[in-house]
Amino acid sequence: MYRDIGEYISRESENNEYGDAFVQKLADFFAKNYPDLKGFNRRGLYRMKQFYELYKDAEKVSPLVTQLSWTNHLKIMSACKIMDERIFYMNMYIKERLSKRELERQIDSGYYERYMLSQKPLTLAIEESRRATGNIFLDNYILEIGKDFTFIGEEYRVQVGKHDYYIDLLFYHRDLSCLVAFELKIGEFKPEYVGQINLYLEALDREVKKENENPSVGVILCASKDDAVVEFALSRSLSPTMVSEYNLKLIDKKLLQRKLKEYIELAETGSGDE
């Protein structure tokens, strides 16, 4: 239905002398005659038009398109820049039987970008730049964050109730005697990321942390073209003394921000060189 409506809007917009005004007139019609109908405002109608125009000539996508809900298509359309990325997430959703939340999490964490980076060796230019700048990011987005950090795993599974969650990167800090969870996000920082990682830390402390170890700590890295944001998530059970110790021995936020931005710039340069 959304595809057919999108096709109608696309064709009428081309033929109609009013152009974009046609979409607004159509939105006004729905608002007046079908006020209880959701999603048929101006923005929603443009989404249907975009949906049709994105996939009308992509024959290999047709079997995939019908297997996703409209809500999931909206997420993919708004977040993905190229067709290969859209196909990647559609295939992942179908093959791994992801929930809506799981699909959103994979997209928000930039899984496609990280997967593509992991499939390519670093170019000579990136490798030279990494050595020259002292970049703390290892090949294929695994972090090297100091001698006291020991890498445990990526996409580390934790369970809360009947639900499985996956931590992007998990480390152990030998000096602080605690687990350190890293979440990598593409785009701007969102407040809900803190709640998400606090849930992971609670699961780690209940199921993974040993009795003699300190509460887990989380690090949120948000990378966008305009900014690099680093946030620490500390357990509420920490005493002021331990909070001070954690802040002292964990990597400085400004350093992480700088290195995160360097890595993203180098990766983008490398992708262009390839």
Side-chain angles (χ1 to χ4, degrees):
M1 179 185 73
Y2 291 125
R3 182 194 179 281
D4 290 344
I5 294 173
E7 181 179 9
Y8 170 74
I9 295 172
S10 180
R11 290 180 177 176
E12 288 298 317
S13 295
E14 290 179 359
N15 299 329
N16 197 296
E17 60 179 311
Y18 296 106
D20 288 347
F22 170 75
V23 179
Q24 184 60 58
K25 290 173 67 175
L26 193 59
D28 293 340
F29 168 82
F30 280 113
K32 180 179 178 180
N33 296 279
Y34 304 95
D36 297 329
L37 199 59
K38 304 294 184 183
F40 284 78
N41 54 17
R42 187 171 185 269
R43 181 182 180 185
L45 293 173
Y46 267 114
R47 286 295 195 187
M48 296 175 204
K49 178 176 180 286
Q50 179 192 15
F51 179 69
Y52 165 73
E53 292 173 349
L54 276 176
Y55 300 122
K56 65 178 180 179
D57 298 322
E59 294 183 5
K60 63 178 180 178
V61 180
S62 298
L64 300 175
V65 167
T66 57
Q67 298 182 59
L68 277 73
S69 70
W70 180 241
T71 302
N72 288 326
H73 276 304
L74 289 178
K75 177 63 178 178
I76 289 174
M77 286 193 299
S78 65
C80 300
K81 303 177 183 66
I82 59 174
M83 185 61 72
D84 284 347
E85 185 179 3
R86 298 184 193 103
I87 294 173
F88 177 88
Y89 284 120
M90 282 192 276
N91 276 314
M92 174 183 283
Y93 174 84
I94 295 166
K95 291 179 180 178
E96 300 187 16
R97 300 180 180 179
L98 299 180
S99 67
K100 175 178 174 289
R101 282 189 176 182
E102 288 169 337
L103 176 65
E104 289 177 347
R105 179 185 178 280
Q106 296 292 7
I107 293 175
D108 290 341
S109 69
Y111 185 80
Y112 172 77
E113 290 90 343
R114 294 188 283 123
Y115 176 82
M116 295 306 294
L117 282 174
S118 71
Q119 302 306 301
K120 299 179 183 178
L122 289 180
T123 64
L124 180 60
I126 294 179
E127 181 61 30
E128 289 177 350
S129 297
R130 185 170 68 83
R131 285 197 299 266
T133 60
N135 197 290
I136 62 171
F137 289 81
L138 288 176
D139 300 358
N140 304 339
Y141 69 84
I142 300 299
L143 304 173
E144 178 190 2
I145 48 179
K147 63 181 181 180
D148 288 322
F149 286 88
T150 301
F151 179 65
I152 295 177
E154 57 183 299
E155 292 294 311
Y156 188 91
R157 185 177 69 88
V158 293
Q159 191 172 29
V160 179
K162 297 181 180 179
H163 300 281
D164 290 334
Y165 298 94
Y166 296 87
I167 300 171
D168 286 337
L169 301 170
L170 184 63
F171 291 82
Y172 184 79
H173 195 287
R174 291 178 296 174
D175 196 15
L176 291 174
S177 297
C178 72
L179 295 163
V180 183
F182 279 77
E183 280 293 295
L184 312 177
K185 304 294 185 182
I186 301 298
E188 295 181 357
F189 174 80
K190 298 178 182 179
E192 53 262 37
Y193 293 159
V194 176
Q196 178 189 47
I197 202 167
N198 278 331
L199 177 68
Y200 298 165
L201 298 182
E202 183 68 21
L204 287 172
D205 285 348
R206 289 186 183 186
E207 306 294 336
V208 184
K209 181 180 81 70
K210 296 180 180 179
E211 289 185 7
N212 63 318
E213 294 175 346
N214 291 319
S216 304
V217 61
V219 182
I220 304 169
L221 304 176
C222 293
S224 67
K225 290 184 178 180
D226 300 324
D227 201 4
V229 176
V230 176
E231 288 290 334
F232 292 156
L234 301 177
S235 172
R236 293 181 180 179
S237 63
L238 287 176
S239 66
T241 302
M242 289 187 69
V243 169
S244 177
E245 184 179 6
Y246 272 46
N247 286 329
L248 180 64
K249 293 183 178 178
L250 286 171
I251 291 182
D252 181 76
K253 282 186 181 182
K254 292 182 180 179
L255 173 62
L256 276 176
Q257 286 173 333
R258 187 171 73 248
K259 295 302 181 181
L260 177 60
K261 195 167 185 179
E262 285 176 5
Y263 177 73
I264 296 301
E265 290 173 353
L266 291 174
E268 288 178 348
T269 303
S271 298
D273 290 343
E274 293 280 3

